[in-house]
Amino acid sequence: MDSPANITYRHMEPTQAVRDDIESRIADLEKFHHHVISCNVVVSGPSQKHETGQEFHVQVMVQVPGQNITVSDKLGRSEATPDLSLLINRVFEAADRQLRERTRVMGGREVKHHAEIMHGTIDRLFEGEGYGFIKAENGDEVYFEMDNLTNGDWKKLRVDMKVKFREGMGDKGPYAMNVSVSS
């Protein structure tokens, strides 16, 4: 896993058995799917404010290349068990099934997708603000920031300079990453 698993407990103090069970289940996910980027687990106990409603809730979020898997389930008051093992088992089994299905659909191979290298010229540059726009060869205008420049000096960039970049999609539209000055 690229980053350590994050386990959060809300409205409860977990037993050592619950901690060990969750850590063991996370390790099992990593054995099957060796490209797990991160795993976040949230275990919620009964809220002190409510007398009715859900008793325990477990959510597992697993990030793997190209996809995030989120599984959650709850035990109501009538189903609650003191050690949560049933609920933890159900949620991790569902996450495991989703990871296995994803691998099956991909033919057992992990495929890393890279955006193609594009070419263009700097169309507009706002040097003081640290951003600009590239006019790609396909005619699209793509936003980029100073932090996206991989080679060259920001202060030496000029309008009409030729650049190479990879295009990503952000909240506000396309942006250029891995921008480098073409020779």
Side-chain angles (χ1 to χ4, degrees):
M1 194 172 334
D2 293 351
S3 60
N6 183 24
I7 305 170
T8 304
Y9 300 96
R10 295 183 182 149
H11 308 296
M12 65 177 289
E13 190 61 41
T15 64
Q16 189 60 46
V18 167
R19 285 189 194 104
D20 292 346
D21 194 13
I22 291 171
E23 289 171 8
S24 172
R25 297 306 303 249
I26 291 170
D28 288 346
L29 287 179
E30 286 184 285
K31 284 179 195 171
F32 175 73
H33 199 288
H34 59 279
H35 292 297
V36 173
I37 297 169
S38 68
C39 182
N40 295 308
V41 180
V42 179
V43 181
S44 299
S47 172
Q48 301 301 320
K49 296 178 182 178
H50 301 289
E51 292 294 322
T52 61
Q54 78 182 34
E55 184 75 27
F56 293 99
H57 182 261
V58 176
Q59 181 178 40
V60 175
M61 296 153 284
V62 181
Q63 183 181 8
V64 293
Q67 184 177 10
N68 294 330
I69 293 172
T70 302
V71 178
S72 65
D73 201 352
K74 62 186 173 184
L75 284 175
R77 238 178 228 290
S78 62
E79 300 175 274
T81 58
D83 63 3
L84 298 177
S85 61
L86 173 65
L87 181 59
I88 291 167
N89 185 53
R90 283 196 319 216
V91 171
F92 275 94
E93 286 296 320
D96 182 63
R97 280 191 305 273
Q98 287 187 29
L99 284 171
R100 288 178 188 272
E101 177 62 16
R102 180 179 180 276
T103 301
R104 186 192 67 75
V105 167
M106 294 180 67
R109 287 175 268 145
E110 285 299 316
V111 180
K112 190 170 185 179
H113 300 280
H114 292 286
E116 68 179 85
I117 295 176
M118 300 179 72
H119 298 272
T121 57
I122 297 176
D123 188 42
R124 292 180 284 153
L125 197 58
F126 300 90
E127 294 175 44
E129 287 82 28
Y131 71 94
F133 293 88
I134 297 170
K135 184 76 163 192
E137 286 181 337
N138 65 5
D140 291 345
E141 185 175 72
V142 184
Y143 171 84
F144 77 105
E145 294 180 346
M146 178 174 27
D147 294 342
N148 299 113
L149 188 64
T150 59
N151 79 345
D153 182 359
W154 179 260
K155 294 178 182 179
K156 292 182 181 180
L157 291 182
R158 300 289 172 249
V159 171
D160 293 329
M161 284 183 95
K162 295 196 179 297
V163 293
K164 298 186 293 188
F165 63 95
R166 293 184 190 271
E167 187 177 84
M169 188 57 70
D171 293 340
K172 296 180 181 179
Y175 69 95
M177 54 188 174
N178 302 330
V179 178
S180 61
V181 177
S182 298
S183 13

Short mmCIF file of all heavy atoms in Angstrom, two decimals, residues 115-158:
data_model
loop_
_atom_site.label_atom_id
_atom_site.label_comp_id
_atom_site.label_asym_id
_atom_site.label_seq_id
_atom_site.Cartn_x
_atom_site.Cartn_y
_atom_site.Cartn_z
N ALA A 115 -1.88 9.57 -19.87
CA ALA A 115 -2.38 10.46 -20.91
C ALA A 115 -1.30 10.60 -21.98
O ALA A 115 -0.10 10.57 -21.68
CB ALA A 115 -2.71 11.82 -20.30
N GLU A 116 -1.73 10.71 -23.22
CA GLU A 116 -0.76 10.83 -24.30
C GLU A 116 -0.04 12.17 -24.23
O GLU A 116 -0.57 13.15 -23.70
CB GLU A 116 -1.43 10.67 -25.66
CG GLU A 116 -2.37 11.82 -26.01
CD GLU A 116 -3.00 11.66 -27.37
OE1 GLU A 116 -4.03 10.98 -27.44
OE2 GLU A 116 -2.47 12.21 -28.34
N ILE A 117 1.18 12.20 -24.77
CA ILE A 117 1.94 13.44 -24.81
C ILE A 117 1.38 14.31 -25.93
O ILE A 117 1.20 13.85 -27.06
CB ILE A 117 3.44 13.17 -25.04
CG1 ILE A 117 4.00 12.41 -23.83
CG2 ILE A 117 4.20 14.48 -25.26
CD1 ILE A 117 5.44 12.00 -23.97
N MET A 118 1.06 15.54 -25.57
CA MET A 118 0.52 16.48 -26.55
C MET A 118 1.54 17.59 -26.79
O MET A 118 2.44 17.81 -25.98
CB MET A 118 -0.80 17.06 -26.02
CG MET A 118 -1.86 15.99 -25.78
SD MET A 118 -3.40 16.65 -25.14
CE MET A 118 -4.03 17.48 -26.58
N HIS A 119 1.37 18.28 -27.90
CA HIS A 119 2.25 19.38 -28.26
C HIS A 119 1.42 20.64 -28.45
O HIS A 119 0.25 20.57 -28.82
CB HIS A 119 3.01 19.07 -29.56
CG HIS A 119 3.89 17.86 -29.44
ND1 HIS A 119 5.17 17.93 -29.00
CD2 HIS A 119 3.63 16.54 -29.67
CE1 HIS A 119 5.70 16.72 -28.97
NE2 HIS A 119 4.78 15.86 -29.37
N GLY A 120 2.03 21.75 -28.18
CA GLY A 120 1.33 23.02 -28.36
C GLY A 120 2.28 24.18 -28.16
O GLY A 120 3.50 24.01 -28.06
N THR A 121 1.71 25.37 -28.13
CA THR A 121 2.49 26.59 -27.89
C THR A 121 1.83 27.37 -26.77
O THR A 121 0.62 27.31 -26.56
CB THR A 121 2.57 27.48 -29.15
OG1 THR A 121 1.24 27.80 -29.56
CG2 THR A 121 3.29 26.79 -30.28
N ILE A 122 2.66 28.13 -26.05
CA ILE A 122 2.12 28.97 -24.99
C ILE A 122 1.33 30.08 -25.64
O ILE A 122 1.83 30.82 -26.48
CB ILE A 122 3.24 29.52 -24.09
CG1 ILE A 122 3.95 28.35 -23.39
CG2 ILE A 122 2.68 30.50 -23.08
CD1 ILE A 122 5.14 28.75 -22.56
N ASP A 123 0.06 30.18 -25.29
CA ASP A 123 -0.85 31.15 -25.89
C ASP A 123 -0.94 32.42 -25.05
O ASP A 123 -0.87 33.53 -25.59
CB ASP A 123 -2.24 30.50 -26.04
CG ASP A 123 -3.19 31.36 -26.83
OD1 ASP A 123 -2.78 31.92 -27.86
OD2 ASP A 123 -4.37 31.46 -26.41
N ARG A 124 -1.09 32.26 -23.76
CA ARG A 124 -1.15 33.39 -22.82
C ARG A 124 -0.37 33.02 -21.58
O ARG A 124 -0.39 31.87 -21.15
CB ARG A 124 -2.59 33.72 -22.44
CG ARG A 124 -3.39 34.29 -23.61
CD ARG A 124 -4.81 34.59 -23.22
NE ARG A 124 -5.55 33.34 -23.14
CZ ARG A 124 -6.60 33.13 -22.38
NH1 ARG A 124 -7.06 34.08 -21.60
NH2 ARG A 124 -7.23 31.98 -22.36
N LEU A 125 0.28 34.00 -20.97
CA LEU A 125 1.10 33.76 -19.81
C LEU A 125 0.89 34.87 -18.79
O LEU A 125 1.00 36.05 -19.13
CB LEU A 125 2.57 33.70 -20.25
CG LEU A 125 3.57 33.09 -19.31
CD1 LEU A 125 3.22 31.66 -18.96
CD2 LEU A 125 4.96 33.11 -19.95
N PHE A 126 0.57 34.50 -17.59
CA PHE A 126 0.39 35.45 -16.50
C PHE A 126 1.52 35.18 -15.51
O PHE A 126 1.33 34.48 -14.50
CB PHE A 126 -1.00 35.28 -15.87
CG PHE A 126 -2.11 35.51 -16.86
CD1 PHE A 126 -2.61 34.46 -17.62
CD2 PHE A 126 -2.62 36.78 -17.06
CE1 PHE A 126 -3.62 34.66 -18.54
CE2 PHE A 126 -3.64 37.00 -17.99
CZ PHE A 126 -4.14 35.93 -18.73
N GLU A 127 2.69 35.75 -15.83
CA GLU A 127 3.91 35.43 -15.09
C GLU A 127 3.79 35.71 -13.60
O GLU A 127 4.18 34.90 -12.78
CB GLU A 127 5.09 36.21 -15.68
CG GLU A 127 5.43 35.80 -17.08
CD GLU A 127 6.52 36.66 -17.68
OE1 GLU A 127 7.50 36.93 -16.98
OE2 GLU A 127 6.37 37.05 -18.85
N GLY A 128 3.26 36.88 -13.23
CA GLY A 128 3.16 37.26 -11.83
C GLY A 128 2.21 36.38 -11.04
O GLY A 128 2.39 36.16 -9.83
N GLU A 129 1.19 35.85 -11.69
CA GLU A 129 0.22 35.00 -11.01
C GLU A 129 0.61 33.52 -11.05
O GLU A 129 0.01 32.69 -10.39
CB GLU A 129 -1.19 35.16 -11.63
CG GLU A 129 -1.85 36.48 -11.27
CD GLU A 129 -1.38 37.63 -12.17
OE1 GLU A 129 -1.01 37.39 -13.33
OE2 GLU A 129 -1.37 38.77 -11.68
N GLY A 130 1.58 33.16 -11.89
CA GLY A 130 2.07 31.78 -11.93
C GLY A 130 1.22 30.82 -12.73
O GLY A 130 1.20 29.62 -12.44
N TYR A 131 0.51 31.30 -13.75
CA TYR A 131 -0.26 30.39 -14.59
C TYR A 131 -0.31 30.93 -16.02
O TYR A 131 0.08 32.05 -16.31
CB TYR A 131 -1.68 30.17 -14.04
CG TYR A 131 -2.61 31.36 -14.17
CD1 TYR A 131 -3.46 31.48 -15.27
CD2 TYR A 131 -2.64 32.36 -13.20
CE1 TYR A 131 -4.31 32.56 -15.40
CE2 TYR A 131 -3.49 33.45 -13.31
CZ TYR A 131 -4.33 33.54 -14.42
OH TYR A 131 -5.17 34.62 -14.54
N GLY A 132 -0.81 30.07 -16.92
CA GLY A 132 -0.93 30.46 -18.31
C GLY A 132 -1.82 29.48 -19.05
O GLY A 132 -2.44 28.59 -18.45
N PHE A 133 -1.86 29.65 -20.38
CA PHE A 133 -2.68 28.78 -21.22
C PHE A 133 -1.85 28.32 -22.40
O PHE A 133 -1.07 29.09 -22.97
CB PHE A 133 -3.93 29.51 -21.70
CG PHE A 133 -4.89 29.83 -20.59
CD1 PHE A 133 -4.77 31.01 -19.87
CD2 PHE A 133 -5.89 28.93 -20.26
CE1 PHE A 133 -5.65 31.30 -18.84
CE2 PHE A 133 -6.76 29.20 -19.22
CZ PHE A 133 -6.64 30.39 -18.51
N ILE A 134 -2.03 27.06 -22.76
CA ILE A 134 -1.35 26.47 -23.91
C ILE A 134 -2.38 26.24 -24.99
O ILE A 134 -3.48 25.75 -24.73
CB ILE A 134 -0.70 25.11 -23.52
CG1 ILE A 134 0.36 25.32 -22.45
CG2 ILE A 134 -0.13 24.42 -24.76
CD1 ILE A 134 0.88 24.03 -21.85
N LYS A 135 -2.02 26.58 -26.22
CA LYS A 135 -2.87 26.27 -27.38
C LYS A 135 -2.34 24.95 -27.94
O LYS A 135 -1.24 24.89 -28.49
CB LYS A 135 -2.76 27.40 -28.42
CG LYS A 135 -3.65 27.23 -29.60
CD LYS A 135 -5.08 27.56 -29.22
CE LYS A 135 -5.90 27.82 -30.46
NZ LYS A 135 -7.17 28.40 -30.16
N ALA A 136 -3.10 23.88 -27.73
CA ALA A 136 -2.69 22.55 -28.19
C ALA A 136 -2.78 22.47 -29.71
O ALA A 136 -3.53 23.23 -30.34
CB ALA A 136 -3.56 21.49 -27.55
N GLU A 137 -2.06 21.51 -30.30
CA GLU A 137 -2.09 21.33 -31.75
C GLU A 137 -3.49 21.02 -32.25
O GLU A 137 -3.82 21.34 -33.39
CB GLU A 137 -1.13 20.21 -32.17
CG GLU A 137 0.33 20.61 -32.10
CD GLU A 137 1.26 19.49 -32.53
OE1 GLU A 137 0.87 18.30 -32.48
OE2 GLU A 137 2.40 19.80 -32.91
N ASN A 138 -4.33 20.42 -31.41
CA ASN A 138 -5.69 20.09 -31.83
C ASN A 138 -6.63 21.29 -31.71
O ASN A 138 -7.82 21.18 -31.97
CB ASN A 138 -6.24 18.91 -31.03
CG ASN A 138 -6.41 19.20 -29.55
OD1 ASN A 138 -6.21 20.32 -29.09
ND2 ASN A 138 -6.76 18.17 -28.80
N GLY A 139 -6.09 22.46 -31.29
CA GLY A 139 -6.88 23.68 -31.20
C GLY A 139 -7.45 23.97 -29.82
O GLY A 139 -7.95 25.07 -29.57
N ASP A 140 -7.37 23.01 -28.90
CA ASP A 140 -7.88 23.24 -27.54
C ASP A 140 -6.96 24.18 -26.76
O ASP A 140 -5.75 24.18 -26.95
CB ASP A 140 -7.99 21.92 -26.77
CG ASP A 140 -9.08 21.02 -27.31
OD1 ASP A 140 -9.93 21.50 -28.08
OD2 ASP A 140 -9.07 19.83 -26.96
N GLU A 141 -7.58 24.94 -25.87
CA GLU A 141 -6.81 25.78 -24.97
C GLU A 141 -6.77 25.09 -23.61
O GLU A 141 -7.80 24.69 -23.09
CB GLU A 141 -7.46 27.15 -24.84
CG GLU A 141 -6.63 28.11 -24.02
CD GLU A 141 -7.23 29.51 -24.01
OE1 GLU A 141 -8.28 29.69 -23.37
OE2 GLU A 141 -6.63 30.39 -24.64
N VAL A 142 -5.57 24.92 -23.06
CA VAL A 142 -5.38 24.15 -21.84
C VAL A 142 -4.66 25.00 -20.80
O VAL A 142 -3.62 25.60 -21.08
CB VAL A 142 -4.57 22.86 -22.11
CG1 VAL A 142 -4.46 22.01 -20.87
CG2 VAL A 142 -5.20 22.06 -23.25
N TYR A 143 -5.22 25.04 -19.60
CA TYR A 143 -4.67 25.80 -18.48
C TYR A 143 -3.45 25.08 -17.90
O TYR A 143 -3.39 23.86 -17.87
CB TYR A 143 -5.77 25.90 -17.41
CG TYR A 143 -5.35 26.47 -16.09
CD1 TYR A 143 -5.30 27.83 -15.89
CD2 TYR A 143 -5.02 25.63 -15.02
CE1 TYR A 143 -4.94 28.36 -14.65
CE2 TYR A 143 -4.65 26.15 -13.79
CZ TYR A 143 -4.61 27.52 -13.62
OH TYR A 143 -4.25 28.04 -12.41
N PHE A 144 -2.44 25.83 -17.45
CA PHE A 144 -1.33 25.23 -16.71
C PHE A 144 -0.80 26.20 -15.67
O PHE A 144 -1.02 27.40 -15.76
CB PHE A 144 -0.20 24.77 -17.66
CG PHE A 144 0.69 25.87 -18.19
CD1 PHE A 144 1.97 26.04 -17.69
CD2 PHE A 144 0.26 26.71 -19.20
CE1 PHE A 144 2.80 27.04 -18.18
CE2 PHE A 144 1.08 27.71 -19.70
CZ PHE A 144 2.35 27.88 -19.19
N GLU A 145 -0.15 25.65 -14.66
CA GLU A 145 0.43 26.44 -13.58
C GLU A 145 1.93 26.26 -13.54
O GLU A 145 2.46 25.29 -14.07
CB GLU A 145 -0.17 26.01 -12.23
CG GLU A 145 -1.63 26.32 -12.09
CD GLU A 145 -2.20 25.88 -10.75
OE1 GLU A 145 -1.53 25.10 -10.02
OE2 GLU A 145 -3.31 26.33 -10.43
N MET A 146 2.58 27.16 -12.85
CA MET A 146 4.03 27.13 -12.71
C MET A 146 4.49 25.78 -12.15
O MET A 146 5.50 25.24 -12.57
CB MET A 146 4.48 28.27 -11.79
CG MET A 146 5.96 28.31 -11.53
SD MET A 146 6.59 29.74 -10.60
CE MET A 146 5.24 30.28 -9.62
N ASP A 147 3.73 25.22 -11.21
CA ASP A 147 4.09 23.94 -10.60
C ASP A 147 4.06 22.78 -11.58
O ASP A 147 4.62 21.72 -11.31
CB ASP A 147 3.15 23.62 -9.43
CG ASP A 147 3.31 24.59 -8.28
OD1 ASP A 147 4.33 25.29 -8.22
OD2 ASP A 147 2.39 24.65 -7.44
N ASN A 148 3.38 22.94 -12.72
CA ASN A 148 3.30 21.88 -13.72
C ASN A 148 4.48 21.87 -14.68
O ASN A 148 4.59 20.97 -15.50
CB ASN A 148 2.01 22.00 -14.53
CG ASN A 148 0.77 21.87 -13.67
OD1 ASN A 148 0.05 22.84 -13.51
ND2 ASN A 148 0.56 20.71 -13.09
N LEU A 149 5.37 22.86 -14.57
CA LEU A 149 6.54 22.96 -15.44
C LEU A 149 7.61 21.99 -14.94
O LEU A 149 8.06 22.09 -13.79
CB LEU A 149 7.07 24.40 -15.45
CG LEU A 149 8.18 24.72 -16.44
CD1 LEU A 149 7.68 24.56 -17.87
CD2 LEU A 149 8.67 26.14 -16.22
N THR A 150 8.03 21.03 -15.79
CA THR A 150 9.02 20.04 -15.36
C THR A 150 10.44 20.39 -15.79
O THR A 150 11.38 19.90 -15.19
CB THR A 150 8.67 18.64 -15.91
OG1 THR A 150 8.63 18.69 -17.33
CG2 THR A 150 7.35 18.16 -15.37
N ASN A 151 10.59 21.15 -16.84
CA ASN A 151 11.93 21.59 -17.20
C ASN A 151 11.86 23.03 -17.67
O ASN A 151 10.84 23.50 -18.14
CB ASN A 151 12.57 20.69 -18.26
CG ASN A 151 12.08 20.96 -19.68
OD1 ASN A 151 11.08 21.63 -19.88
ND2 ASN A 151 12.78 20.42 -20.65
N GLY A 152 12.92 23.73 -17.52
CA GLY A 152 12.93 25.14 -17.92
C GLY A 152 12.67 26.05 -16.73
O GLY A 152 12.31 25.61 -15.65
N ASP A 153 12.85 27.32 -16.96
CA ASP A 153 12.70 28.33 -15.94
C ASP A 153 11.42 29.12 -16.22
O ASP A 153 11.24 29.65 -17.32
CB ASP A 153 13.94 29.24 -15.97
CG ASP A 153 13.93 30.32 -14.91
OD1 ASP A 153 12.95 30.41 -14.14
OD2 ASP A 153 14.91 31.08 -14.85
N TRP A 154 10.54 29.22 -15.25
CA TRP A 154 9.27 29.93 -15.41
C TRP A 154 9.50 31.34 -15.93
O TRP A 154 8.76 31.82 -16.78
CB TRP A 154 8.52 29.94 -14.08
CG TRP A 154 7.21 30.68 -14.14
CD1 TRP A 154 6.98 31.95 -13.72
CD2 TRP A 154 5.99 30.22 -14.69
NE1 TRP A 154 5.68 32.31 -13.96
CE2 TRP A 154 5.04 31.25 -14.56
CE3 TRP A 154 5.59 29.03 -15.28
CZ2 TRP A 154 3.73 31.13 -14.99
CZ3 TRP A 154 4.28 28.92 -15.71
CH2 TRP A 154 3.37 29.96 -15.56
N LYS A 155 10.52 32.00 -15.45
CA LYS A 155 10.79 33.39 -15.84
C LYS A 155 11.26 33.51 -17.29
O LYS A 155 11.18 34.59 -17.86
CB LYS A 155 11.83 34.01 -14.90
CG LYS A 155 11.30 34.15 -13.49
CD LYS A 155 12.33 34.71 -12.55
CE LYS A 155 11.74 34.77 -11.15
NZ LYS A 155 12.68 35.27 -10.18
N LYS A 156 11.70 32.42 -17.88
CA LYS A 156 12.18 32.45 -19.27
C LYS A 156 11.09 32.04 -20.27
O LYS A 156 11.33 32.08 -21.48
CB LYS A 156 13.39 31.54 -19.44
CG LYS A 156 14.61 32.06 -18.70
CD LYS A 156 15.80 31.17 -18.93
CE LYS A 156 17.01 31.70 -18.16
NZ LYS A 156 18.18 30.86 -18.36
N LEU A 157 9.92 31.63 -19.77
CA LEU A 157 8.83 31.26 -20.68
C LEU A 157 8.31 32.49 -21.41
O LEU A 157 8.23 33.58 -20.84
CB LEU A 157 7.68 30.61 -19.92
CG LEU A 157 7.91 29.24 -19.31
CD1 LEU A 157 6.65 28.74 -18.64
CD2 LEU A 157 8.38 28.22 -20.35
N ARG A 158 7.94 32.30 -22.66
CA ARG A 158 7.39 33.37 -23.49
C ARG A 158 6.23 32.85 -24.32
O ARG A 158 6.15 31.66 -24.63
CB ARG A 158 8.47 33.92 -24.44
CG ARG A 158 9.68 34.50 -23.76
CD ARG A 158 9.34 35.83 -23.07
NE ARG A 158 10.45 36.29 -22.27
CZ ARG A 158 10.49 36.34 -20.95
NH1 ARG A 158 9.46 35.94 -20.25
NH2 ARG A 158 11.54 36.77 -20.30
#
